[in-house]
Amino acid sequence: MSDSTDTGPVLAADGSPLKQSLARALRREKMRALALIAPLLLFVVLTFIIPILSMLFRSVENQIVSDTMPGTVAAIQDWEAGTGEAPDELVFQHLFIDLFNASEAKEHTKLGTRLNYEQTGLSSLFRTSGRRLDDIGETYQDPLEEIDPAFEEADFWYSMMNGEGGEGLLEERRDMWNAQIGGGMDGDVGFVPSSAMIDMLPWTTTAYTDWAIWAAIEDEDVVAEEEPWEAVYGALGMDLRNPETAAAIAAYDGPGAEQLQAAVANMDQLPQIGFREAFAEMDEDWLDPEVWDTIAVYSPRFTSGYFLTAVDLKLSAEGVTAQPEDRQLYIKLFNRTLFMSLVITGSCILLGYPVAWLLANLPLRTANVLMILVLLPFWTSLLVRTSAWKVLLQQQGVINEILVWLGFVDDANRLILMNNQTGTIIAMTHILLPFMILPLYSVMKTIDPSYLRAAKSLGATNFVAFWRVYFPQSVPGIGAGSILVFILSIGYYITPEIVGGTDGVFISNRIAYHISSSLNWGLAAALGSILLVVVLVLYWLYDRIVGIDNVKLGG
Amino acid sequence: MKLLKTLTATTALCAAGSMAGAQDMADDVTMVSWGGAYQQSQINAYAEPYMEMNPEVSITWDESSNEAVAKLRAMNEAGNITWDLVDVVAADALRLCDEGLAMEVDHDELLAPAPDGTDASDDFGDLIVSDCFIPQIVYSTTFGYRTDMVPEGVDAPDDICDVFDTETYPGMRSLEQRPINNMEWALLCDGVAKEDVYDVLATDEGQDQALAKLDTIKDSVIWWSAGADTPQLLADGEVFMGSTYNGRLFSAIVEQNQPIGMMWDAQVFDLDGWIIPTGLSDERLARVEDFLYFATDTQRLADQAKYISYGPARASSAPLVSTHAELGIEMAPHMPTDPENSKNTFLYNYEFWADYRDDIDAKFQAWLAQ
Amino acid sequence: MSALTVNVGRPSLLTFTMPIVAVLGGCFGFITGNIFGQPGLGFVIGALVGAVLAAALAKAPKLNRRKAAWGTAALFGLVGLVFGGVGGLIGGAVVGLSMGWFAVWIGSGQYRAGVPIYYTAGQTLWHNVFLFICAFVFFFLIAPLIPVMWLSFNAQNFFTFTPEMLAFKAEGYSLKHYRDFFSGGGHPLQGLLYGAVVGAVIGGLVQLLPNAERSVRKIVVFAIIGTLIGVVVGKMWGVSGAEWMTPLKNSLIIAPFATLISVSLGTLAAIGLSQTHVPGRQAIMAIMISPMIVPLIISATGMFFFYAPLGNWLQANLGLNQNFVGYLKVILAHAVLGVPFVIITVTATLVGFDKSLTRAAANMGANPVTTFFRVQMPLILPGVISGGLFAFITSFDEVVVVLFVGSAQQQTLPWQMFTGLREQISPTILAAATILVTISVCLLTTVELLRRRSERLRGMSPG
């Protein structure tokens, strides 16, 4: 006790302090455990978690609008949505340039499809307008070429536009193309816009640069040898209409000065209407303020629109509003999915509990043979089991035939067991029942039967002994099974699709529909995210109540 | 171990195969079609003869036409096109063409002229509904009914409005679980003139009107989503009448001897054909073009009608349509284009549905869920 | 079960057996009478028949249950045949079987066999009702498989019971769907021969290993296993373009490799997770279980967008063949889906694993690898195998993910079933299912046998 040498730290065999040595051992053990786990963890994260997250990211992604119409989206910021007036000429000038580029890249129809999710008719508006933009350009191109045939020549354009100092603009427009078609526009263009032209003819230079990049890289042409596309002529029209530009042209003496001055002198031959009217002539919907409200509301790079649609709301110029009543669908589907999953879970408990009890209390050999009966359907293809239920449940099916033959059901009033909720509930209860029985069984196996005997010998009736002693101990099994069944059932889609008819389908069917038929992947991802959040909350509860390690599958 | 060997063996084989043909045409072709009797007719009429002529070619069939648009879009986004030739309905072809997922083709250059020298584009005529679309067949969506379930003392149904008449013709009906076709039929039977149908359907009131008409039979409808559903439902006697593709009904009636009758009234014509996905490599494209030239010539399209009752898309093929390959019956009276059958027909309005599909579908699904 | 069972002797015939059997007979009579529109009359006749049967069987010399039941079944079936043709025969036989069995079961007092002697009548009744409920649930589980198997012999191309089938006429049945299933390519006979020879040789070689017990039985077992594998591989060899054999081949290539990946990685991780000190255990567990809880349709699309560029990259940078990459993608996707099952079963097994065994092995100089393979592995093998089987079946039965991730060259059996159901409802699907169910039964029996063997090894007595 009084030995003073013991006051120092306790030493391990190698002479280091025991505390350190223990810490090191612990660290080593942790490292070893992690090293064992790491390969799988990496594998699951890489091949599963990241793909899922990137999929869910689509639910807020909305780059397509600003990538396809960057100029228009920027210009529309000054326009006030909800005023009942379509925007002014400037926005339409940007629209012309943007839409022309987009239709060359065949991106305008994608944008139309995207916006059509929000407002009917936009798809055809974009598609038909995309086809007719060349005509608008030609209304400028033809008179210009009449004023001076040099406007037809590649050489004329190239010598006028090419110069130096415009690298900034070139790169800016290249980025625009890259954003629009998803990359691949890098490389030598063989053209640099001249900074003088950028100052004097901003629209024209921009349009020419757009064309030059497209021609050089996508079409693999030589810029100096090709006549630009119609948009450049339209852009020149925009520039010429600006009074300051006319003054600058008068003072200009570089390449093409003569032709430009001729064009200014003959302004009366160019179309007298602006682009706003030109668009309106093409399709009067372009003056519909609702169209512009939609474009303005959905112009940011990220949107809450898909999530709002997924809960029957709508993003509009007035803010968040409810969907019209005849289009409210998703809340109902979510409710139905949750309700039916609850019913399925309930019936699984009712059917699974007695069987699990029997299995847990029979001799092991008998129990294992009976377990094969539980596992057999579990191992039979889901598709086959579902079609089997179809054969059984339909109105001319086995069950109805037997009932009619026995005289319990009138031939004319056969039971409708399928293509409704009943069908989904029966088939899915059958399919998910093993997922209830297995965890219940593994929990009941651990309950010591002597507790029950003790309760009875202390005078409890069978029922009281069961209810007060056995049942509480089996609750973790019920919890495990229920949450497993519930989670699996809210994600099901093939079985409801086949036996569910119209009122027996789940939200997953709608997700599948949006993924494979309507191609509204953003909405599918939003619906999926909501579903996933519900599942994760349940999983968290499951872990709190039972602990995920306590799930067992099979004996 | 053996499985591993199988795997490596097939891999090696395929590698060798693709190397041999690399200089001009790819030898492994993946074609996408609908499965079932229709795909079989394509195999019999063009794929097998083609493979006999070109023994180095092997064709893999993918029965994914149903979700072709979604899958092609995903493949395109991911930059991995595994399909070489895709069989789609015209509406899907339009969508794919719009999105730049299908290649625009020059029909005259790519396809064989008719035997009399008519250019392909004239031979196909109006059926070339899109620059990307190479038509094969004209099919129709129409009704079949159980002949043994027609009530006594009543004529067999021969009018589209009999579908909505549950008093005279009790029993279930099966309709496709989508608004297309159903909305038109509903309006036709609610007093809207045939030429006004799409104008009416473009308005909210018109859509409500169609849904209200469908509401009258909603309780006696089983909604189908796969082509095989209605023939099965009719064979089971689950439904009295149901809409499906005419070729499916033909096969149930003639090949399977089921007690089913055809009702051709207000059948909706639609087209089915090939598209070439964009982004194929040169040798794959060369193979596809070579195949298409063969598979869409006048004789091949007429041959297809030996196996299934869909009308060939070429005008020059129609006179060559002969008898069923196994049963030996005349095929012409079973074609939707036969004058006797096409007294009252409807044409799928591609433009309209491209615009209104999402919107009306949202309404339709909400209506179904009520 | 060690519960005390005492034979209490036969219950009273007049006050117990006869009335109870009469009630059952009455119920059957009610149902039968209902067919002819006379339920009341049917009830009375049924009750009388029941009472007479009970008395007759009780007075008859010592009959065992089985004989009595089959005898009654034959008698009733004959009566049914006279009145109702083939349907009557079957109905009569079923009613007779249950009545005969029930009468003896009740009459001989065997109904008390499963309950302690002190149970009251009510408790005994409840016990037996409970057993009937359980039997019903088992019936519910298994019954849907019966029409599947039955319809797979349909002579028609629809999922419909034809009148010929119901009348049990030969022309209503055919094996054509099985022929369709097995049609296409392959050399099963060569496979059989090679397999048997290779199996026998391996069986012989195994005996040359040090410490191996030597017996001819082993050679035979290996030869049989080799034959089975040989037939399958031979049948699959070189198949292409066959409607069902090609998908089956693909499934048989994909599922084992996916299982191998998920089992090997999963077992290691489960061992890691079972250590005492694992930082972030809950989170890691959640991540590993996630493939089971994320709705499949979301997983499928998410994986599609990930695997497609991955495949491109592999093809472009490593020069891999497109077909090979296609298999690889599906195998990886299925491996991820199988991981949760392996993790769950193996961690559950490890809970009962005695850690002092590994320490003892280390003490005696075994290195960690030897310890793992010679000590730990044999003991947790049942858990690993059952996890592996779950992973296998997950891959073998998976349709949504493969539809998205795979391309046509990797079409698997469920994929073919799915498109088949959608595009051409044909009973070939049911033939495929029947074959798969048969294989499942074999697999499950194997698992049970393995489990019993492992119990013997661990020294636990089979219960």
Side-chain angles (χ1 to χ4, degrees):
Chain A
M1 297 298 143
S2 59
D3 202 337
S4 57
T5 53
D6 277 355
T7 50
V10 185
L11 295 185
D14 62 352
S16 57
L18 184 61
K19 204 175 167 190
Q20 251 179 44
S21 178
L22 278 176
R24 202 166 53 231
L26 187 66
R27 206 162 50 237
R28 211 166 40 229
E29 202 179 320
K30 276 187 185 173
M31 291 311 291
R32 217 173 60 125
L34 282 182
L36 285 171
I37 296 169
L40 183 67
L41 190 64
L42 212 64
F43 179 65
V44 174
V45 168
L46 270 183
T47 58
F48 190 79
I49 304 289
I50 293 177
I52 300 295
L53 291 181
S54 62
M55 171 71 203
L56 296 182
F57 181 62
R58 285 170 187 269
S59 60
V60 290
E61 209 178 35
N62 193 41
Q63 271 94 325
I64 183 166
V65 183
S66 52
D67 281 349
T68 317
M69 309 201 302
T72 316
V73 164
I76 209 173
Q77 301 307 322
D78 300 333
W79 172 75
E80 240 175 76
T83 51
E85 273 288 317
D88 56 12
E89 174 73 12
L90 178 70
V91 173
F92 279 94
Q93 290 181 344
H94 278 291
L95 180 68
F96 174 72
I97 301 286
D98 288 341
L99 215 50
F100 194 96
N101 290 341
S103 72
E104 287 298 328
K106 287 203 142 199
E107 294 289 326
H108 67 302
T109 48
K110 287 185 198 168
L111 177 64
T113 313
R114 161 70 189 96
L115 291 174
N116 204 63
Y117 297 140
E118 314 302 338
Q119 194 188 341
T120 309
L122 286 188
S123 172
S124 68
L125 183 64
F126 276 81
R127 190 152 19 86
T128 51
S129 303
R131 273 202 294 268
R132 294 192 209 148
L133 285 174
D134 290 358
D135 302 344
I136 298 186
E138 276 166 18
T139 60
Y140 290 89
Q141 184 178 9
D142 296 344
L144 279 169
E145 285 173 2
E146 241 165 68
I147 293 166
D148 193 319
F151 279 108
E152 250 174 286
E153 283 159 29
D155 199 33
F156 157 78
W157 281 104
Y158 187 74
S159 58
M160 180 166 75
M161 290 294 163
N162 196 26
E164 51 195 29
E167 286 84 0
L169 179 72
L170 182 70
E171 290 314 312
E172 190 193 314
R173 299 314 284 180
R174 196 203 291 277
D175 289 346
M176 178 279 293
W177 278 121
N178 271 330
Q180 180 155 148
I181 66 168
M185 294 301 270
D186 300 319
D188 183 34
V189 179
F191 162 79
V192 176
S194 94
S195 51
M197 279 296 150
I198 296 177
D199 293 338
M200 189 172 80
L201 303 173
W203 287 109
T204 318
T205 322
T206 309
Y208 189 83
T209 312
D210 291 347
W211 167 78
I213 298 170
W214 184 261
I217 290 161
E218 192 68 22
D219 294 344
E220 296 175 3
D221 290 328
V222 178
V223 176
E225 292 170 7
E226 300 290 326
E227 189 191 359
W229 58 35
E230 293 85 352
V232 177
Y233 297 91
L236 184 58
M238 297 176 198
D239 281 326
L240 292 177
R241 200 165 291 140
N242 186 345
E244 287 167 30
T245 311
I249 288 174
Y252 172 70
D253 61 353
E258 186 192 329
Q259 287 84 352
L260 288 177
Q261 279 149 12
V264 174
N266 292 295
M267 275 296 281
D268 54 335
Q269 291 186 24
L270 294 180
Q272 296 306 302
I273 52 169
F275 283 82
R276 194 171 189 261
E277 284 93 308
F279 268 94
E281 262 177 31
M282 197 161 62
D283 195 321
E284 58 183 14
D285 280 350
W286 282 113
L287 291 189
D288 182 357
E290 269 183 50
V291 169
W292 288 98
D293 282 348
T294 307
I295 296 175
V297 167
Y298 288 93
S299 61
R301 300 185 70 77
F302 297 98
T303 179
S304 57
Y306 290 124
F307 274 102
L308 291 172
T309 312
V311 291
D312 286 339
L313 297 172
K314 194 178 173 179
L315 195 59
S316 67
E318 295 91 52
V320 179
T321 52
Q323 288 273 8
E325 207 152 300
D326 59 0
R327 229 156 294 186
Q328 293 185 3
L329 173 63
Y330 297 108
I331 294 280
K332 192 182 284 168
L333 275 178
F334 273 115
N335 283 339
R336 181 197 290 164
T337 307
L338 293 179
F339 169 74
M340 285 182 52
S341 299
L342 272 179
V343 173
I344 290 162
T345 313
S347 34
C348 279
I349 297 175
L350 276 182
L351 295 181
Y353 198 90
V355 169
W357 192 88
L358 184 75
L359 288 175
N361 287 288
L362 277 178
L364 199 57
R365 270 170 187 264
T366 328
N368 277 323
V369 173
L370 285 178
M371 192 55 107
I372 291 185
L373 293 185
V374 176
L375 290 176
L376 192 57
F378 183 51
W379 285 35
T380 311
S381 166
L382 171 75
L383 291 165
V384 171
R385 274 182 289 165
T386 310
S387 8
W389 277 110
K390 202 171 164 176
V391 173
L392 288 172
L393 293 177
Q394 60 185 1
Q395 279 192 287
Q396 310 291 325
V398 177
I399 293 176
N400 263 309
E401 285 292 339
I402 291 176
L403 288 178
V404 168
W405 182 65
L406 293 178
F408 287 110
V409 170
D410 185 23
D411 198 13
N413 298 313
R414 288 170 176 247
L415 302 179
I416 302 173
L417 298 169
M418 211 181 91
N419 293 316
N420 55 18
Q421 302 197 354
T422 321
T424 308
I425 290 171
I426 294 178
M428 285 189 53
T429 303
H430 174 252
I431 285 163
L432 295 173
L433 191 51
F435 288 98
M436 177 63 80
I437 294 178
L438 295 177
L440 259 180
Y441 169 70
S442 61
V443 168
M444 285 179 176
K445 275 306 270 187
T446 63
I447 301 176
D448 193 338
S450 56
Y451 289 127
L452 210 53
R453 267 181 250 140
K456 283 186 204 165
S457 70
L458 289 171
T461 63
N462 268 352
F463 176 76
V464 171
F466 166 77
W467 185 246
R468 301 281 297 276
V469 176
Y470 193 89
F471 183 78
Q473 294 186 78
S474 68
V475 164
I478 298 182
S482 304
I483 292 186
L484 202 56
V485 168
F486 193 83
I487 285 178
L488 287 173
S489 78
I490 65 175
Y492 252 57
Y493 111 94
I494 286 179
T495 307
E497 183 78 30
I498 294 178
V499 295
T502 51
D503 26 297
V505 294
F506 284 10
I507 194 73
S508 333
N509 298 75
R510 213 54 206 154
I511 297 179
Y513 166 81
H514 281 306
I515 281 176
S516 59
S517 294
S518 80
L519 303 189
N520 194 345
W521 290 346
L523 182 54
L527 291 169
S529 307
I530 297 177
L531 195 60
L532 194 58
V533 167
V534 174
V535 169
L536 287 179
V537 168
L538 284 172
Y539 174 81
W540 178 75
L541 283 175
Y542 179 72
D543 202 27
R544 298 308 308 267
I545 299 169
V546 218
I548 192 67
D549 324 4
N550 292 340
V551 192
K552 281 187 202 154
L553 294 166
Chain B
M1 275 317 283
K2 294 205 166 181
L3 290 168
L4 184 67
K5 274 189 208 152
T6 323
L7 186 66
T8 45
T10 46
T11 325
L13 267 179
C14 294
S18 58
M19 242 158 343
Q23 57 269 35
D24 45 2
M25 291 187 202
D27 289 337
D28 290 313
V29 189
T30 303
M31 294 191 192
V32 183
S33 186
W34 300 90
Y38 180 61
Q39 183 176 311
Q40 199 55 47
S41 76
Q42 293 178 312
I43 293 175
N44 292 342
Y46 358 113
E48 279 183 351
Y50 184 80
M51 288 205 285
E52 265 168 40
M53 290 162 51
N54 303 281
E56 74 279 10
V57 174
S58 88
I59 299 178
T60 309
W61 291 90
D62 187 340
E63 300 170 4
S64 301
S65 285
N66 226 3
E67 53 279 329
V69 185
K71 280 193 144 189
L72 263 180
R73 186 155 122 178
M75 283 183 192
N76 184 279
E77 255 185 57
N80 180 20
I81 310 282
T82 58
W83 292 347
D84 295 296
L85 196 55
V86 187
D87 187 288
V88 287
V89 293
D92 284 346
L94 259 80
R95 259 164 115 186
L96 290 167
C97 207
D98 273 349
E99 295 210 11
L101 298 172
M103 207 175 89
E104 287 184 10
V105 295
D106 182 341
H107 292 82
D108 288 336
E109 202 173 288
L110 182 65
L111 307 177
D116 62 1
T118 318
D119 279 345
S121 56
D122 292 329
D123 203 14
F124 284 109
D126 295 341
L127 302 189
I128 300 179
V129 291
S130 151
D131 290 338
C132 306
F133 183 62
I134 302 149
Q136 283 174 81
I137 52 136
V138 178
Y139 71 95
S140 86
T141 307
T142 188
F143 280 86
Y145 61 92
R146 280 288 287 222
T147 47
D148 56 348
M149 284 165 70
V150 178
E152 287 197 24
V154 181
D155 290 336
D158 60 355
D159 185 334
I160 182 67
C161 297
D162 292 344
V163 174
F164 295 89
D165 183 358
T166 44
E167 296 261 309
T168 325
Y169 300 99
M172 302 293 279
R173 284 98 168 95
S174 68
L175 295 175
E176 189 170 5
Q177 191 170 3
R178 60 172 197 178
I180 300 170
N181 299 351
N182 296 329
M183 302 288 268
E184 287 101 316
W185 285 325
L187 284 182
L188 272 184
C189 293
D190 205 32
V192 176
K194 199 162 133 188
E195 56 274 16
D196 298 337
V197 164
Y198 288 105
D199 294 335
V200 174
L201 208 50
T203 62
D204 273 344
E205 297 76 38
Q207 292 158 17
D208 293 343
Q209 186 190 350
L211 289 178
K213 182 71 183 174
L214 285 170
D215 224 27
T216 59
I217 55 166
K218 193 179 177 188
D219 290 338
S220 20
V221 174
I222 294 174
W223 301 94
W224 62 268
S225 51
D229 287 344
T230 294
Q232 172 71 40
L233 289 167
L234 283 169
D236 280 346
E238 278 287 292
V239 295
F240 167 61
M241 63 200 311
S243 70
T244 188
Y245 315 125
N246 70 296
R248 301 274 184 179
L249 289 172
F250 171 82
S251 140
I253 297 169
V254 179
E255 289 163 9
Q256 310 282 343
N257 292 317
Q258 296 294 314
I260 299 172
M262 291 286 263
M263 191 186 84
W264 291 102
D265 190 49
Q267 55 165 321
V268 182
F269 277 154
D270 199 350
L271 303 170
D272 191 89
W274 299 112
I275 59 105
I276 308 173
T278 42
L280 294 186
S281 64
D282 287 343
E283 61 261 38
R284 283 169 72 189
L285 188 59
R287 173 61 72 194
V288 166
E289 290 182 341
D290 190 59
F291 175 80
L292 272 181
Y293 187 88
F294 173 78
T296 57
D297 71 11
T298 303
Q299 186 58 48
R300 246 41 65 187
L301 287 185
D303 283 352
Q304 193 180 358
K306 281 187 203 165
Y307 305 98
I308 198 149
S309 64
Y310 294 132
R314 275 182 187 258
S316 62
S317 298
L320 300 179
V321 171
S322 58
T323 54
H324 190 276
E326 280 156 33
L327 305 170
I329 53 162
E330 275 299 318
M331 288 302 277
H334 296 282
M335 295 290 169
T337 42
D338 188 72
E340 192 59 28
N341 300 333
S342 55
K343 284 180 200 150
N344 180 25
T345 64
F346 224 76
L347 253 182
Y348 188 107
N349 190 328
Y350 301 106
E351 277 291 301
F352 177 84
W353 282 114
D355 277 353
Y356 285 86
R357 188 176 164 154
D358 293 321
D359 191 49
I360 297 186
D361 195 77
K363 258 190 169 177
F364 184 77
Q365 298 296 342
W367 169 77
L368 276 183
Q370 270 157 24
Chain C
M1 199 176 243
S2 54
L4 189 63
T5 49
V6 177
N7 201 339
V8 287
R10 300 165 82 92
S12 151
L13 178 67
L14 219 55
T15 57
F16 184 77
T17 309
M18 275 172 62
I20 288 186
V21 180
V23 167
L24 181 74
C27 291
F28 279 126
F30 180 83
I31 294 171
T32 319
N34 206 20
I35 300 175
F36 305 102
Q38 296 281 357
L41 186 66
F43 184 83
V44 174
I45 296 176
L48 283 176
V49 172
V52 171
L53 182 74
L57 286 175
K59 295 293 172 203
K62 275 250 171 202
L63 267 176
N64 69 24
R65 239 191 297 180
R66 199 169 292 154
K67 272 187 197 153
W70 286 113
T72 327
L75 186 70
F76 276 48
L78 212 62
V79 176
L81 184 66
V82 172
F83 285 100
V86 180
L89 173 75
I90 292 174
V94 169
V95 171
L97 198 63
S98 26
M99 291 270 297
W101 177 84
F102 187 75
V104 178
W105 185 65
I106 290 285
S108 63
Q110 276 161 332
Y111 65 94
R112 286 192 82 103
V115 297
I117 189 164
Y118 51 80
Y119 263 34
T120 61
Q123 284 171 332
T124 314
L125 179 67
W126 164 242
H127 175 81
N128 285 313
V129 168
F130 177 78
L131 288 182
F132 275 110
I133 293 175
C134 291
F136 166 76
V137 177
F138 282 118
F139 178 75
F140 173 73
L141 279 167
I142 295 300
L145 303 181
I146 295 166
V148 167
M149 298 184 178
W150 193 354
L151 278 175
S152 69
F153 297 99
N154 196 344
Q156 266 197 354
N157 277 345
F158 288 103
F159 276 20
T160 311
F161 287 101
T162 57
E164 293 85 28
M165 285 190 89
L166 294 175
F168 295 98
K169 287 186 185 149
E171 66 262 31
Y173 292 88
S174 104
L175 285 173
K176 70 174 184 178
H177 304 300
Y178 287 87
R179 277 197 295 276
D180 286 350
F181 181 80
F182 284 111
S183 73
H187 316 280
L189 280 180
Q190 279 103 310
L192 183 145
L193 290 177
Y194 286 130
V197 171
V198 171
V201 169
I202 294 177
L205 287 176
V206 165
Q207 312 209 18
L208 300 179
L209 290 174
N211 306 335
E213 49 175 296
R214 292 175 179 80
S215 73
V216 188
R217 225 183 81 205
K218 231 173 200 172
I219 298 184
V220 176
V221 169
F222 272 89
I224 292 173
I225 295 173
T227 313
L228 289 175
I229 297 176
V231 170
V232 175
V233 173
K235 179 74 187 166
M236 300 298 140
W237 196 270
V239 162
S240 81
E243 202 181 351
W244 289 94
M245 281 297 115
T246 314
L248 182 60
K249 180 176 108 183
N250 285 333
S251 281
L252 287 179
I253 292 173
I254 290 166
F257 281 103
T259 311
L260 197 68
I261 295 177
S262 35
V263 166
S264 48
L265 293 181
T267 309
L268 280 186
I271 292 172
L273 278 171
S274 69
Q275 313 276 320
T276 350
H277 304 285
V278 185
R281 192 155 185 277
Q282 294 298 318
I284 292 173
M285 199 70 178
I287 287 174
M288 288 180 175
I289 302 291
S290 62
M292 196 168 81
I293 61 168
V294 177
L296 264 185
I297 185 82
I298 300 174
S299 315
T301 32
M303 283 162 139
F304 176 84
F305 285 109
F306 174 77
Y307 284 105
L310 178 79
N312 286 354
W313 186 84
L314 287 176
Q315 272 169 266
N317 294 3
L318 302 184
L320 295 177
N321 175 277
Q322 186 194 337
N323 208 17
F324 177 75
V325 171
Y327 280 108
L328 190 69
K329 289 194 286 189
V330 182
I331 287 171
L332 287 180
H334 279 180
V336 174
L337 293 182
V339 161
F341 295 98
V342 180
I343 291 282
I344 288 174
T345 47
V346 179
T347 34
T349 323
L350 281 167
V351 169
F353 179 74
D354 186 355
K355 286 220 183 72
S356 55
L357 288 175
T358 54
R359 261 177 251 136
N363 238 357
M364 294 175 180
N367 63 24
V369 177
T370 316
T371 315
F372 175 73
F373 280 107
R374 301 292 294 273
V375 178
Q376 199 164 14
M377 198 60 190
L379 285 171
I380 62 168
L381 198 61
V384 175
I385 288 180
S386 102
L389 283 173
F390 275 106
F392 184 87
I393 216 72
T394 307
S395 166
F396 205 71
D397 191 22
E398 203 290 319
V399 62
V400 183
V401 168
V402 75
L403 269 174
F404 278 83
V405 176
S407 58
Q409 283 86 356
Q410 288 85 44
Q411 189 175 40
T412 59
L413 202 55
W415 180 345
Q416 172 64 24
M417 285 180 165
F418 180 73
T419 47
L421 271 180
R422 202 182 50 192
E423 301 304 339
Q424 37 160 165
I425 296 182
S426 146
T428 314
I429 293 155
L430 302 182
T434 309
I435 292 165
L436 291 184
V437 168
T438 318
I439 294 174
S440 298
V441 173
C442 296
L443 278 176
L444 284 168
T445 318
T446 316
V447 176
E448 171 62 13
L449 291 178
L450 279 174
R451 200 193 55 76
R452 287 188 183 174
R453 179 169 175 270
S454 94
E455 268 173 5
R456 268 207 316 279
L457 285 184
R458 280 203 269 185
M460 295 180 186
S461 68

